[in-house]
Amino acid sequence: MIGQGKTVIQAEIDAAAELIDFFRFNAKFALQLQHEQPISVPISTNTMAFRGLEGFIAAVSPFNFTAIGGNLAGAPALMGNVVLWKPSDTAILSSYTVYNALREAGLPPNIIQFVPADGPVFGDTITSSEHLSGINFTGSVPTFKRLWKQVAENLDRYRTFPRLAGECGGKNFHFVHNSADVESVVYGTIRSAFEYSGQKCSACSRLYVPDSLWPQIKARLLEEHAKIKVGNPADDFSTFTSAVIDEKSFRRIQSWIKHAKESPNLTILAGGNCDDKVGYFVEPTIIESKDPKEKIMAEEIFGPVLTAYVYPENKYKEVLKLIDSTSPYGLTGAVFAQDKNVIQEATEVLRNAAGNFYINDKSTGAVVAQQPFGGSRASGTNDKPGGPHYILRWTSPQVIKETHVPLTEWKYPYMQ
Ligand code: NAD
C-alpha cells in the first residue's frame, strides 16, 4: 500500500492472493507437464526431461503488480533456471519482500538473484552476456522493443537463442450495444477505468455507447463518478483509489488531460484536475470524443482517463470494425449486450482485438488459472501467465530414448 499507492483491497488481491495463486498453480502445471510423456513401445522406452535453459533468465518487472514480479522471476526458477530479477524502481520494497519470503521458504541462495538496477544499464548488461537464455518481461512497449532489438543485435554472441516473453500495454474497450443492461455497463466501466487509478494494463480506457443509451449511461456515469473517493488509503479504508505512481507518470497523464482541454473534438465531462501538492493525485476523468480515431482513443495513457465515443445505434457493425482497427494493442475488451446474435458477431469481429475478451463483464480482474492473461499485437507475446502453457516457455525439453532391442545389422531388410 505504501510503496505502490494501493488500497487495502487492491494490495490484498495483488501481493497476497494473486502471488500465491501463481506459485501454487505453476507448481501444479509443472507436475501435470511431468506426466505428459511420449509414447513408449516394447523395443524402446521414451521419456521427456524438462530441463532449465542453459544460461540465465532475466526477469524485468513493472511497478504496478507485485504478483507479476514474483511470477516473472518465480516461474523460470521453478522450471530449473537461474534468474536475475530486476524489479521496477518504484516497486522495490514489495519485490524485495517477495524475494525474502522465497528465501525464508527454502529457496537456495543465487537461484533468484535480486538486482535492483537502472533499467537501461541492466538491459545493456544482460543483452551483451553470452549466457543470456531468456528475458521474461512485463512493462511498456518501448522498453520491450528496445530489449528485443538489443538481443537481435547481439545474436551472434549467444550460446543459445534467447527466449523473449513480453506482456505489454493495452487500449482496452467496452463496447455497449443497444440491448445492454445499463447498470452493469456503468458499474463495470467505473470499476475498470478507475480502480488503481487506471494503472492496470487491462483498464478500460475507451467506451463505445449507442446514442439511444448515451443520455442514460452518461447521467449514471456522472452520478457514480461523483461518489469516487480519491485519497490516502492508509488513512481511510473507504478510499477507492490513490495517487499515481510517480511524477513522470503524473506529468504524462496531465499532458493528456491538457490535450483534452485544448482539442475541439474532446469534451471533459467529469474530473480533469491534477494535484501534486501532497502526492501525485489525478482525478478520475471522463472525456467524450467526437472523433473515434482521436489519438486518445488509440494510445495507452496508464492513468484514470476514460474516453467515450457515442455512435449512431444502427451503425454498431461499423463500430465493431472501428474498435478492431483503432489501436495497435490487443489486450482486453468487453461486449455488453443481451442480444445473443450481437454477442456472437462481436466475438467474431473482435477475435484478434483482445487476448482476454469479456461478455457482459468489465475488462479487468483476470484470475490466475481462470482467465490466463495476455494479448497479442503491440500488447505482447501473449504467453498467458497464469495458464498451463506458460511454464513451457522456461524449459528446454530433452527426449531420452532407451533401446531394449539393439540393432544386429546395418543393412535395410530389403537389402538382405
Ligand atoms: P516500464 O516499461 O517503464 O518498466 C518495466 C521494467 O523495465 C522496469 O523494471 C524498468 O526499470 C525496466 N526498464 C526500463 N528501461 C529498461 C531498459 N532499457 N532495459 C531493461 N529494463 C528497462 O513499464 P512500467 O511503467 O513499470 O509498467 C507499466 C506498463 O506495463 C504499462 O504499459 C502496462 O500496460 C504494462 N503492463 C502489462 C501487463 C500485462 O500483463 N500485459 C501487466 C502489467 C503492466
Side-chain angles (χ1 to χ4, degrees):
M1 288 173 72
I2 294 169
Q4 283 137 285
K6 299 214 170 200
T7 61
V8 68
I9 182 72
Q10 290 290 323
E12 173 70 14
I13 290 169
D14 172 17
E18 184 165 323
L19 181 64
I20 291 166
D21 278 355
F22 270 134
F23 287 159
R24 287 191 170 161
F25 276 101
N26 283 339
K28 177 184 150 78
F29 295 142
L31 286 173
Q32 277 174 2
L33 197 58
Q34 203 82 28
H35 293 300
E36 292 276 324
Q37 289 295 326
I39 296 167
S40 289
V41 291
I43 57 165
S44 65
T45 304
N46 302 307
T47 50
M48 178 102 82
F50 293 95
R51 304 172 300 182
L53 309 181
E54 230 186 339
F56 70 90
I57 305 281
V60 183
S61 53
F63 78 84
N64 62 338
F65 273 94
T66 303
I68 290 180
N71 188 49
L72 288 172
L78 178 81
M79 296 308 289
N81 295 282
V82 167
V83 181
L84 300 192
W85 177 11
K86 197 210 86 60
S88 165
D89 300 354
T90 42
I92 292 180
L93 176 60
S94 64
S95 303
Y96 190 54
T97 305
V98 171
Y99 168 75
N100 281 324
L102 286 168
R103 290 298 319 282
E104 267 180 45
L107 181 79
N110 301 327
I111 301 297
I112 294 178
Q113 299 177 29
F114 192 72
V115 192
D118 174 75
V121 172
F122 184 79
D124 293 350
T125 310
I126 55 154
T127 53
S128 59
S129 164
E130 63 177 295
H131 298 293
L132 179 71
S133 62
I135 298 179
N136 200 9
F137 174 83
T138 299
S140 64
V141 172
T143 311
F144 188 46
K145 281 191 173 169
R146 181 180 155 135
L147 284 168
W148 194 300
K149 284 179 190 159
Q150 285 181 310
V151 166
E153 274 162 21
N154 285 299
L155 211 49
D156 293 331
R157 263 177 213 255
Y158 304 128
R159 289 157 52 96
T160 185
F161 287 101
R163 303 250 173 114
L164 304 177
E167 306 302 330
C168 305
K171 189 71 187 177
N172 312 297
F173 58 85
H174 281 183
F175 163 73
V176 183
H177 181 254
N178 181 34
S179 64
D181 167 46
V182 166
E183 290 303 287
S184 67
V185 171
V186 171
Y187 294 130
T189 304
I190 294 272
R191 172 83 71 86
S192 174
F194 301 133
E195 62 188 343
Y196 195 42
S197 292
Q199 298 169 112
K200 288 190 159 187
C201 48
S202 55
C204 169
S205 53
R206 47 186 178 131
L207 172 68
Y208 298 82
V209 186
D211 49 6
S212 51
L213 292 183
W214 180 234
Q216 208 183 337
I217 288 183
K218 179 178 162 185
R220 289 285 297 115
L221 279 175
L222 297 186
E223 197 180 333
E224 293 305 316
H225 175 274
K227 298 179 192 163
I228 299 174
K229 199 179 243 180
V230 184
N232 182 347
D235 291 348
D236 179 356
F237 274 16
S238 68
T239 297
F240 177 69
T241 188
S242 178
V244 300
I245 192 69
D246 60 10
E247 183 177 2
K248 198 170 131 219
S249 187
F250 177 84
R251 299 271 168 247
R252 194 188 60 241
I253 302 164
Q254 199 177 31
S255 74
W256 274 104
I257 293 175
K258 183 166 174 277
H259 166 70
K261 286 180 178 159
E262 288 166 357
S263 167
N265 284 325
L266 302 175
T267 311
I268 295 186
L269 304 178
N273 297 310
C274 304
D275 184 351
D276 60 353
K277 279 201 283 296
V278 289
Y280 298 110
F281 288 97
V282 179
E283 213 181 354
T285 299
I286 304 176
I287 296 167
E288 183 180 344
S289 176
K290 285 202 215 82
D291 175 6
K293 295 274 187 187
E294 212 321 304
K295 65 177 182 175
I296 207 164
M297 301 292 290
E299 293 177 29
E300 186 182 53
I301 298 176
F302 220 57
V305 180
L306 169 74
T307 307
Y309 172 68
V310 182
Y311 68 88
E313 182 199 320
N314 59 357
K315 291 269 196 266
Y316 83 87
K317 285 177 197 290
E318 286 87 334
V319 166
L320 290 176
K321 288 191 193 124
L322 185 72
I323 293 173
D324 185 47
S325 58
T326 299
S327 159
Y329 295 102
L331 195 52
T332 75
V335 49
F336 289 84
Q338 297 302 317
D339 183 329
K340 294 269 180 275
N341 292 330
V342 172
I343 293 174
Q344 196 185 344
E345 198 178 347
T347 309
E348 280 165 21
V349 177
L350 298 170
R351 186 177 160 81
N352 293 312
N356 286 66
F357 188 66
Y358 294 83
I359 298 169
N360 291 319
D361 200 354
K362 62 187 167 56
S363 63
T364 51
V367 176
V368 170
Q370 291 182 35
Q371 298 91 21
F373 191 78
S376 53
R377 296 184 176 169
S379 294
T381 51
N382 195 14
D383 286 298
K384 289 280 185 271
H389 314 108
Y390 182 65
I391 49 169
L392 274 172
R393 291 290 271 156
W394 312 114
T395 177
S396 176
Q398 181 188 40
V399 171
I400 301 173
K401 175 186 177 189
E402 183 181 357
T403 288
H404 308 303
V405 182
L407 276 186
T408 51
E409 177 54 86
W410 62 266
K411 290 179 190 153
Y412 296 115
Y414 71 89
M415 295 164 72
Q416 304 287 338

